[in-house]
Every structure is written in structure tokens, then in C-alpha cells.
Amino acid sequence: FFITFRHTLSPPLVHPSLSNDRPNTQTPLPQAPTPLSASQFRTMPSVSSTSEGVSPPLHPTPQRVGVSPPSTLPPFLIDYVGGVLGGISVTVVGHPFDTVKVRLQTALSGSYTSTLDCIKQTYRHSGLAGFYAGVTSPILGQMWFRAGSFASFHYISSLLPPPSPEEKYTYLLLSGALTGAVITPLETPIDVVKTKLQVLNLSYPPPRPRPYSDASTCARFLLDKYGKRGLFHGQTGTLVRNVPANAVFFPVNEILKDRCVSFRGYGSVGEMRTWERVVCGGAAGFCYWVGTCPLDCVKSQMMMTRQSDVPRPSSVYAFWLETARD
């Protein structure tokens, strides 16, 4: 959604050499004018017959084909609105998968035999609604978090000096890592509330009374019992995951787009089709999770510490040791 929205508001020019993404280094050869017939030559307007005393231009200004004129919105606002739409879409589509992931990460050993067993038990006890447990928190928070993520990345990138072609991916890695650190305080409260609601059945099984039932009552419960620190429990684990994850995602996404441009013979990234951008972004997201899944598991365990009756370690290193033993 972010890619499509931003690409729609800022479409590339038809000619590769006029693209704002990466200019084409090859200068197109001038084409010879089409010969005029005798009748066309006789009816051709003269200089004196025009309204301003000059003949019409032989080469009109290139126009964008099939799209509206470029948007006058500032790039930061385009990134922000695109991120909002992306946050909503990623929550609606991905929340059921996230619910299964969190339950597998935080359940006691032996609770589930496999991912499929977790899906069956969730459906058996809560139905389809169980897969969307705690969806209010991310759908309200993720749209601002995603917006802040992309807007922060482009803003941080604009603050860095222009890189050489050899330094491009190094700068993207640095920008991604800094973005991961910046967005951590925005993501942690959303993730804490979401995680606690996703495992509510495990933490407070019937007939044990539940202290909260939705995102607002959960946030109020954490504030009343632990203060502001309750909403930021596990922030260190989130930071440890976000920095390398975003440092991987953004460079991989750009590398794949550059390879696609070269393979398909495009003049610039702006000529890529939407499905090609989606494939590049999906592959980058795959790399994001493959490399940081262990870090995310530790982060989820840290966020559940205060909700468990069993004493748990409080440092990232101690959680790593306990997770490795489990």
C-alpha cells in the first residue's frame, strides 16, 4: 500500500532520462522529422499567422501518459499517508499470523506440538475472532508506527551526505539501523498491549477472572499497576530486534529493486511495475524475519514477564540464556 500510494502521487515520466529516481546515462539519439506532404506544407501556419508571432514548438514538452499531474504534496506527507495505509493493511492481513506466532513464543513448553496444532486450538477455543485478539491496539497504532517508520527513514536518509555509488548500500544500512532505534519507543507500547491480549486465554484461563478485555482496559490496567513503565516493558528487547531488522530490510529492498531494473532493462526504478515492487518488498520482509526471529522471541518473552506468576529474568542476556535452555 505504501509503495502503490507513493508511486501514484509521484509517477515517473515516460522517458527514462526524465525520471527522478535514477537518470539514464545514455542520451537518446535525435530522430529525423517526418517529411511533410505537399498538402500539409501548403496548410502549415506561417510565423505571422500565430497569435504571438512565433511558430509552434517542434518538440513539445514530454507529458505523463495515463496518469494525473504530479502531486504538489510534500514528500514527507506522502510518506506519512502511505505509511498509514500500509499500517492498516499489514494489520488486517497479518494479525492472525502474528497471533499464532506470539502464542507459540510465549506458551509453556508442551502447550502446542506444532504451528498447525496452535491454529487448531485457537480456533477450537475462540473461533475466528481468536486470531484477531488484540487487533484494536495494532490497527490504531500500527498505522502511525508504519507512517513514522517510512517517514523517519526518508528523513534520516536526507540528513546524510550524498553517497557515492559504492557507498549507497552502506548508507541505506545506516539509515535503516537508525530508523529502527527511532521507532522503538513508538512500537513498544503497541506491542505490549497486543501481546498481552493475544495470550489472554493462556495467562488467565477460565474460570480465573480477567483484569482486562480490550486494548483500552489493558493499557489502563498496566498504567494503574506498573505506571508508565508498564507500557514500555520489553523496550530493550524491541530495540535489539529493530536495529538489525531495519538495517537488513531497507538495503535488501533497494538491492532487489536495482537488480530488477537491470534484469528487466528499465531506465530507472520508477518504471518498475507494482507487482515487481511488491515482490522486492516481500523478499526483503522475508530476510527481515528470518534473521531476527530469535530476537523477536526474546522480546515477546520479556513483554510477558510481569504477567506471569513465575519469576522470570529481567535482562536481555538472561532471557537469551533461558530461551536457549527451553
PDB file of all heavy atoms in Angstrom, residues 262-279:
ATOM      1  N   SER A 262      17.945  -3.687 -13.686  1.00  0.00           N
ATOM      2  CA  SER A 262      18.972  -4.160 -14.598  1.00  0.00           C
ATOM      3  C   SER A 262      18.493  -5.354 -15.420  1.00  0.00           C
ATOM      4  O   SER A 262      18.726  -5.439 -16.634  1.00  0.00           O
ATOM      5  CB  SER A 262      20.231  -4.532 -13.807  1.00  0.00           C
ATOM      6  OG  SER A 262      21.231  -5.067 -14.653  1.00  0.00           O
ATOM      7  N   PHE A 263      17.790  -6.285 -14.767  1.00  0.00           N
ATOM      8  CA  PHE A 263      17.349  -7.501 -15.450  1.00  0.00           C
ATOM      9  C   PHE A 263      16.254  -7.211 -16.469  1.00  0.00           C
ATOM     10  O   PHE A 263      16.245  -7.782 -17.563  1.00  0.00           O
ATOM     11  CB  PHE A 263      16.846  -8.511 -14.414  1.00  0.00           C
ATOM     12  CG  PHE A 263      16.329  -9.789 -15.004  1.00  0.00           C
ATOM     13  CD1 PHE A 263      17.204 -10.760 -15.456  1.00  0.00           C
ATOM     14  CD2 PHE A 263      14.960 -10.016 -15.099  1.00  0.00           C
ATOM     15  CE1 PHE A 263      16.720 -11.945 -16.005  1.00  0.00           C
ATOM     16  CE2 PHE A 263      14.483 -11.200 -15.655  1.00  0.00           C
ATOM     17  CZ  PHE A 263      15.361 -12.163 -16.105  1.00  0.00           C
ATOM     18  N   ARG A 264      15.333  -6.314 -16.110  1.00  0.00           N
ATOM     19  CA  ARG A 264      14.201  -6.022 -16.985  1.00  0.00           C
ATOM     20  C   ARG A 264      14.516  -4.958 -18.030  1.00  0.00           C
ATOM     21  O   ARG A 264      13.708  -4.696 -18.914  1.00  0.00           O
ATOM     22  CB  ARG A 264      13.013  -5.567 -16.139  1.00  0.00           C
ATOM     23  CG  ARG A 264      12.560  -6.574 -15.098  1.00  0.00           C
ATOM     24  CD  ARG A 264      11.654  -7.617 -15.668  1.00  0.00           C
ATOM     25  NE  ARG A 264      10.336  -7.059 -15.981  1.00  0.00           N
ATOM     26  CZ  ARG A 264       9.337  -7.757 -16.484  1.00  0.00           C
ATOM     27  NH1 ARG A 264       9.522  -9.044 -16.748  1.00  0.00           N
ATOM     28  NH2 ARG A 264       8.180  -7.208 -16.732  1.00  0.00           N
ATOM     29  N   GLY A 265      15.682  -4.322 -17.921  1.00  0.00           N
ATOM     30  CA  GLY A 265      16.063  -3.317 -18.892  1.00  0.00           C
ATOM     31  C   GLY A 265      15.374  -1.988 -18.721  1.00  0.00           C
ATOM     32  O   GLY A 265      15.236  -1.219 -19.681  1.00  0.00           O
ATOM     33  N   TYR A 266      14.934  -1.681 -17.503  1.00  0.00           N
ATOM     34  CA  TYR A 266      14.304  -0.392 -17.248  1.00  0.00           C
ATOM     35  C   TYR A 266      15.365   0.701 -17.189  1.00  0.00           C
ATOM     36  O   TYR A 266      16.535   0.450 -16.912  1.00  0.00           O
ATOM     37  CB  TYR A 266      13.520  -0.414 -15.931  1.00  0.00           C
ATOM     38  CG  TYR A 266      12.346  -1.366 -15.921  1.00  0.00           C
ATOM     39  CD1 TYR A 266      12.055  -2.125 -14.795  1.00  0.00           C
ATOM     40  CD2 TYR A 266      11.516  -1.506 -17.032  1.00  0.00           C
ATOM     41  CE1 TYR A 266      10.976  -2.997 -14.765  1.00  0.00           C
ATOM     42  CE2 TYR A 266      10.431  -2.369 -17.016  1.00  0.00           C
ATOM     43  CZ  TYR A 266      10.172  -3.111 -15.892  1.00  0.00           C
ATOM     44  OH  TYR A 266       9.105  -3.967 -15.870  1.00  0.00           O
ATOM     45  N   GLY A 267      14.915   1.929 -17.391  1.00  0.00           N
ATOM     46  CA  GLY A 267      15.831   3.049 -17.273  1.00  0.00           C
ATOM     47  C   GLY A 267      15.961   3.557 -15.862  1.00  0.00           C
ATOM     48  O   GLY A 267      16.924   4.248 -15.537  1.00  0.00           O
ATOM     49  N   SER A 268      14.981   3.232 -14.991  1.00  0.00           N
ATOM     50  CA  SER A 268      15.012   3.716 -13.618  1.00  0.00           C
ATOM     51  C   SER A 268      14.090   2.858 -12.771  1.00  0.00           C
ATOM     52  O   SER A 268      13.275   2.080 -13.284  1.00  0.00           O
ATOM     53  CB  SER A 268      14.571   5.188 -13.551  1.00  0.00           C
ATOM     54  OG  SER A 268      13.202   5.291 -13.889  1.00  0.00           O
ATOM     55  N   VAL A 269      14.206   3.008 -11.455  1.00  0.00           N
ATOM     56  CA  VAL A 269      13.341   2.289 -10.531  1.00  0.00           C
ATOM     57  C   VAL A 269      11.890   2.709 -10.711  1.00  0.00           C
ATOM     58  O   VAL A 269      10.965   1.917 -10.511  1.00  0.00           O
ATOM     59  CB  VAL A 269      13.804   2.529  -9.075  1.00  0.00           C
ATOM     60  CG1 VAL A 269      12.841   1.906  -8.077  1.00  0.00           C
ATOM     61  CG2 VAL A 269      15.206   1.971  -8.866  1.00  0.00           C
ATOM     62  N   GLY A 270      11.674   3.961 -11.111  1.00  0.00           N
ATOM     63  CA  GLY A 270      10.317   4.454 -11.277  1.00  0.00           C
ATOM     64  C   GLY A 270       9.523   3.741 -12.348  1.00  0.00           C
ATOM     65  O   GLY A 270       8.292   3.844 -12.375  1.00  0.00           O
ATOM     66  N   GLU A 271      10.184   3.012 -13.238  1.00  0.00           N
ATOM     67  CA  GLU A 271       9.476   2.298 -14.293  1.00  0.00           C
ATOM     68  C   GLU A 271       9.029   0.907 -13.867  1.00  0.00           C
ATOM     69  O   GLU A 271       8.342   0.214 -14.625  1.00  0.00           O
ATOM     70  CB  GLU A 271      10.374   2.182 -15.531  1.00  0.00           C
ATOM     71  CG  GLU A 271      10.706   3.515 -16.174  1.00  0.00           C
ATOM     72  CD  GLU A 271      11.571   3.343 -17.409  1.00  0.00           C
ATOM     73  OE1 GLU A 271      11.704   2.204 -17.898  1.00  0.00           O
ATOM     74  OE2 GLU A 271      12.111   4.350 -17.878  1.00  0.00           O
ATOM     75  N   MET A 272       9.421   0.472 -12.669  1.00  0.00           N
ATOM     76  CA  MET A 272       9.017  -0.845 -12.196  1.00  0.00           C
ATOM     77  C   MET A 272       7.506  -0.911 -12.020  1.00  0.00           C
ATOM     78  O   MET A 272       6.866   0.060 -11.633  1.00  0.00           O
ATOM     79  CB  MET A 272       9.706  -1.169 -10.865  1.00  0.00           C
ATOM     80  CG  MET A 272      11.196  -1.391 -10.963  1.00  0.00           C
ATOM     81  SD  MET A 272      11.939  -1.673  -9.329  1.00  0.00           S
ATOM     82  CE  MET A 272      11.039  -3.155  -8.811  1.00  0.00           C
ATOM     83  N   ARG A 273       6.952  -2.090 -12.287  1.00  0.00           N
ATOM     84  CA  ARG A 273       5.533  -2.301 -12.076  1.00  0.00           C
ATOM     85  C   ARG A 273       5.254  -2.544 -10.597  1.00  0.00           C
ATOM     86  O   ARG A 273       6.145  -2.895  -9.833  1.00  0.00           O
ATOM     87  CB  ARG A 273       5.052  -3.490 -12.916  1.00  0.00           C
ATOM     88  CG  ARG A 273       5.221  -3.283 -14.420  1.00  0.00           C
ATOM     89  CD  ARG A 273       4.768  -4.513 -15.190  1.00  0.00           C
ATOM     90  NE  ARG A 273       4.941  -4.328 -16.627  1.00  0.00           N
ATOM     91  CZ  ARG A 273       4.645  -5.238 -17.535  1.00  0.00           C
ATOM     92  NH1 ARG A 273       4.179  -6.429 -17.142  1.00  0.00           N
ATOM     93  NH2 ARG A 273       4.825  -4.991 -18.821  1.00  0.00           N
ATOM     94  N   THR A 274       3.980  -2.383 -10.230  1.00  0.00           N
ATOM     95  CA  THR A 274       3.617  -2.522  -8.820  1.00  0.00           C
ATOM     96  C   THR A 274       3.916  -3.917  -8.298  1.00  0.00           C
ATOM     97  O   THR A 274       4.441  -4.075  -7.191  1.00  0.00           O
ATOM     98  CB  THR A 274       2.123  -2.203  -8.636  1.00  0.00           C
ATOM     99  OG1 THR A 274       1.859  -0.859  -9.067  1.00  0.00           O
ATOM    100  CG2 THR A 274       1.721  -2.336  -7.175  1.00  0.00           C
ATOM    101  N   TRP A 275       3.611  -4.960  -9.077  1.00  0.00           N
ATOM    102  CA  TRP A 275       3.835  -6.319  -8.587  1.00  0.00           C
ATOM    103  C   TRP A 275       5.325  -6.601  -8.404  1.00  0.00           C
ATOM    104  O   TRP A 275       5.710  -7.384  -7.517  1.00  0.00           O
ATOM    105  CB  TRP A 275       3.199  -7.343  -9.529  1.00  0.00           C
ATOM    106  CG  TRP A 275       3.866  -7.505 -10.865  1.00  0.00           C
ATOM    107  CD1 TRP A 275       3.553  -6.872 -12.015  1.00  0.00           C
ATOM    108  CD2 TRP A 275       4.971  -8.376 -11.167  1.00  0.00           C
ATOM    109  NE1 TRP A 275       4.377  -7.277 -13.038  1.00  0.00           N
ATOM    110  CE2 TRP A 275       5.256  -8.211 -12.543  1.00  0.00           C
ATOM    111  CE3 TRP A 275       5.732  -9.281 -10.428  1.00  0.00           C
ATOM    112  CZ2 TRP A 275       6.280  -8.904 -13.184  1.00  0.00           C
ATOM    113  CZ3 TRP A 275       6.748  -9.971 -11.066  1.00  0.00           C
ATOM    114  CH2 TRP A 275       7.007  -9.795 -12.425  1.00  0.00           C
ATOM    115  N   GLU A 276       6.176  -5.963  -9.211  1.00  0.00           N
ATOM    116  CA  GLU A 276       7.617  -6.142  -9.042  1.00  0.00           C
ATOM    117  C   GLU A 276       8.093  -5.485  -7.750  1.00  0.00           C
ATOM    118  O   GLU A 276       8.951  -6.031  -7.044  1.00  0.00           O
ATOM    119  CB  GLU A 276       8.353  -5.551 -10.244  1.00  0.00           C
ATOM    120  CG  GLU A 276       8.078  -6.289 -11.546  1.00  0.00           C
ATOM    121  CD  GLU A 276       8.618  -5.574 -12.767  1.00  0.00           C
ATOM    122  OE1 GLU A 276       8.783  -4.325 -12.711  1.00  0.00           O
ATOM    123  OE2 GLU A 276       8.873  -6.247 -13.785  1.00  0.00           O
ATOM    124  N   ARG A 277       7.526  -4.348  -7.426  1.00  0.00           N
ATOM    125  CA  ARG A 277       7.869  -3.687  -6.158  1.00  0.00           C
ATOM    126  C   ARG A 277       7.395  -4.523  -4.971  1.00  0.00           C
ATOM    127  O   ARG A 277       8.075  -4.612  -3.942  1.00  0.00           O
ATOM    128  CB  ARG A 277       7.236  -2.299  -6.113  1.00  0.00           C
ATOM    129  CG  ARG A 277       7.798  -1.319  -7.142  1.00  0.00           C
ATOM    130  CD  ARG A 277       6.936  -0.062  -7.231  1.00  0.00           C
ATOM    131  NE  ARG A 277       7.489   0.896  -8.166  1.00  0.00           N
ATOM    132  CZ  ARG A 277       8.215   1.954  -7.815  1.00  0.00           C
ATOM    133  NH1 ARG A 277       8.486   2.164  -6.533  1.00  0.00           N
ATOM    134  NH2 ARG A 277       8.671   2.784  -8.724  1.00  0.00           N
ATOM    135  N   VAL A 278       6.214  -5.134  -5.113  1.00  0.00           N
ATOM    136  CA  VAL A 278       5.681  -5.965  -4.038  1.00  0.00           C
ATOM    137  C   VAL A 278       6.577  -7.186  -3.810  1.00  0.00           C
ATOM    138  O   VAL A 278       6.848  -7.572  -2.673  1.00  0.00           O
ATOM    139  CB  VAL A 278       4.239  -6.398  -4.368  1.00  0.00           C
ATOM    140  CG1 VAL A 278       3.750  -7.460  -3.388  1.00  0.00           C
ATOM    141  CG2 VAL A 278       3.311  -5.197  -4.345  1.00  0.00           C
ATOM    142  N   VAL A 279       7.046  -7.804  -4.893  1.00  0.00           N
ATOM    143  CA  VAL A 279       7.934  -8.966  -4.772  1.00  0.00           C
ATOM    144  C   VAL A 279       9.230  -8.574  -4.066  1.00  0.00           C
ATOM    145  O   VAL A 279       9.714  -9.289  -3.171  1.00  0.00           O
ATOM    146  CB  VAL A 279       8.225  -9.574  -6.152  1.00  0.00           C
ATOM    147  CG1 VAL A 279       9.333 -10.624  -6.057  1.00  0.00           C
ATOM    148  CG2 VAL A 279       6.969 -10.192  -6.739  1.00  0.00           C
TER     149      VAL A 279
END
